[in-house]
């Protein structure tokens, strides 16, 4: 099983990383990790987008779910039946948000192994490199000992050694990512037990990330930081599109009722945070 996992995940990922390392100008190992992470996130982009949409749908149903639980008063069988009816009516699969995470889980495990191997001895790395990667001019020079195997980012941060700064940044970016998809109701309703649990998890996961990354090679927190930044950008794109879709639907409704597009100015717009200066001007 271990050999199969290495053949399917570890070897291809290590070779992809060293292929990037061997061809980019300057041959900066830290930059190679960033580009390698961007490549992985681009491949997983559809899965991550599907997961985010599923999470948003489930969050939109939290009010209805709370009403059902209050109505059933602890009757689990009745509660399950009513929840399934709600999911069917709203065309929501409660497990659809979990599937992309499960599919990404082997990749996350592989990243730990990949960066552990990639920041190790070049002799050990050489045993799993494919022939085309091994024959890249710069990689050949490293293997032959003609140039040193430099594992730093911009010659400053050694990717093979722990970096507390990158560990903290990994936690901060994860906190921002989680905070972006937290429903506004859960952000403000301190009396709601579910809101309290969500708020607790918003801090627990970033803290756990810092704790794990604190003593690991800096390559891993750098991977997490890049992954989180891409996720933040993807979430921003999806949220912006949802606002635009809501505005477009408002226009269609007004036109169908015989109104003009100018009438849409009277419709309430989606709540967007804006800063109001003194005097009432934006």
């Amino acid at each position: 099983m271990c050999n199969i996992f290495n053949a399917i995940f570890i070897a291809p990922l290590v070779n992809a990383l060293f292929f990037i390392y061997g061809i980019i100008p300057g041959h900066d190992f830290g930059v190679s990790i960033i580009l390698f992470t961007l490549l992985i996130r681009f491949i997983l982009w559809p899965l991550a987008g599907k997961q985010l949409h599923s999470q948003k749908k489930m969050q939109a149903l939290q009010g209805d779910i709370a009403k059902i639980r209050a109505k059933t008063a602890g009757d689990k069988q009745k509660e399950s039946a009513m929840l399934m009816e709600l999911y069917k009516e709203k065309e929501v699969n409660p497990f659809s948000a979990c599937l992309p995470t499960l599919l990404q889980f082997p990749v996350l495990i592989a990243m730990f192994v990949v960066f552990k191997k990639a920041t190790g001895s070049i002799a050990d790395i050489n045993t799993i490199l494919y022939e085309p990667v091994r024959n890249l001019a710069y990689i050949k020079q490293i293997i032959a000992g003609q140039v040193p195997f430099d594992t730093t980012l911009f010659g400053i941060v050694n990717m093979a050694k722990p970096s507390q700064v990158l560990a903290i940044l990994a936690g901060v970016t994860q906190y921002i990512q989680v905070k972006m998809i937290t429903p506004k109701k859960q952000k403000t309703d301190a009396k709601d037990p579910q809101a309290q649990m969500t708020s607790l998890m918003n801090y627990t996961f970033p803290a756990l990330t810092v704790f794990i990354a604190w003593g690991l090679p800096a390559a891993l927190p750098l991977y997490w930081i890049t992954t989180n930044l891409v996720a933040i950008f993807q979430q921003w794109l999806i949220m912006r599109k949802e606002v635009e879709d809501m505005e477009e639907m408002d226009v269609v409704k007004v036109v169908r009722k015989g109104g003009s597009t100018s009438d849409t100015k009277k419709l309430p717009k989606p709540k967007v945070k804006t800063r109001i200066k003194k005097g009432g001007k934006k």
Side-chain angles (χ1 to χ4, degrees):
M1 182 65 70
C2 184
N3 291 333
I4 295 175
F5 187 80
N6 287 338
I8 296 176
F9 290 101
I10 306 303
L13 292 174
V14 169
N15 278 273
L17 173 59
F18 274 83
F19 176 78
I20 295 172
Y21 179 49
I23 64 172
I24 63 170
H27 306 289
D28 188 292
F29 193 70
V31 173
S32 301
I33 291 174
I34 294 173
L35 295 176
F36 169 74
T37 306
L38 292 175
L39 174 64
I40 297 298
R41 291 302 304 180
F42 176 77
I43 294 172
L44 297 177
W45 183 280
L47 284 176
K50 186 176 181 180
Q51 181 182 17
L52 184 58
H53 279 297
S54 298
Q55 289 176 342
K56 297 292 288 183
K57 287 181 179 180
M58 286 299 298
Q59 288 171 358
L61 295 179
Q62 290 307 306
D64 294 329
I65 293 173
K67 291 178 182 178
I68 289 174
R69 287 175 176 166
K71 187 176 181 180
T72 54
D75 188 339
K76 294 297 181 184
Q77 186 174 357
K78 186 178 180 181
E79 179 184 314
S80 298
M82 292 183 69
L83 285 175
M84 293 306 296
E85 186 177 347
L86 174 66
Y87 296 146
K88 185 177 180 181
E89 179 187 347
K90 300 296 184 179
E91 298 182 349
V92 174
N93 183 353
F95 303 106
S96 59
C98 302
L99 182 59
T101 301
L102 293 176
L103 293 175
Q104 294 180 54
F105 193 63
V107 178
L108 182 61
I109 296 176
M111 288 300 102
F112 280 90
V113 181
V114 165
F115 291 130
K116 184 177 180 181
K117 287 183 177 292
T119 54
S121 169
I122 191 63
D124 295 335
I125 298 168
N126 185 34
T127 60
I128 58 176
L129 291 181
Y130 300 149
E131 195 67 27
V133 178
R134 194 183 296 119
N135 287 332
L136 290 173
Y138 190 74
I139 302 300
K140 286 177 69 175
Q141 292 177 357
I142 294 176
I143 295 172
Q146 297 174 355
V147 295
F149 178 35
D150 185 3
T151 59
T152 63
L153 171 64
F154 304 133
I156 301 173
V157 184
N158 192 340
M159 296 290 99
K161 296 180 179 180
S163 170
Q164 284 71 44
V165 173
L166 291 184
I168 293 172
L169 287 175
V172 169
T173 53
Q174 184 168 2
Y175 173 78
I176 296 172
Q177 178 198 348
V178 174
K179 201 71 174 176
M180 282 181 66
I181 60 174
T182 302
K184 292 182 179 180
K185 181 180 178 181
Q186 292 185 1
K187 288 179 182 178
T188 57
D189 193 353
K191 296 181 180 180
D192 185 357
Q194 186 175 0
Q196 293 177 353
M197 179 62 70
T198 302
S199 179
L200 178 63
M201 299 306 288
N202 286 348
Y203 293 100
T204 301
F205 283 129
L208 186 61
T209 298
V210 175
F211 177 77
I212 294 173
W214 195 267
L216 292 175
L220 281 163
L222 180 60
Y223 167 78
W224 275 334
I225 291 168
T226 309
T227 295
N228 292 339
L229 290 176
V230 173
I232 290 169
F233 175 68
Q234 187 175 23
Q235 288 169 189
W236 175 78
L237 281 179
I238 290 175
M239 290 177 181
R240 187 183 69 168
K241 187 177 185 303
E242 286 182 353
V243 171
E244 291 175 350
D245 290 344
M246 288 172 63
E247 292 176 344
E248 184 178 345
M249 287 176 64
D250 288 340
V251 172
V252 172
K253 287 179 182 178
V254 169
V255 172
R256 284 180 177 176
K257 290 180 180 179
S260 64
T261 55
S262 61
D263 294 332
T264 59
K265 296 179 181 179
K266 303 176 183 179
L267 296 171
K269 294 184 178 180
K271 294 181 180 180
V272 180
K273 292 183 179 179
T274 56
R275 293 183 178 179
I276 308 299
K277 295 181 180 180
K278 291 182 180 179
K281 296 181 180 181
K282 293 184 180 180

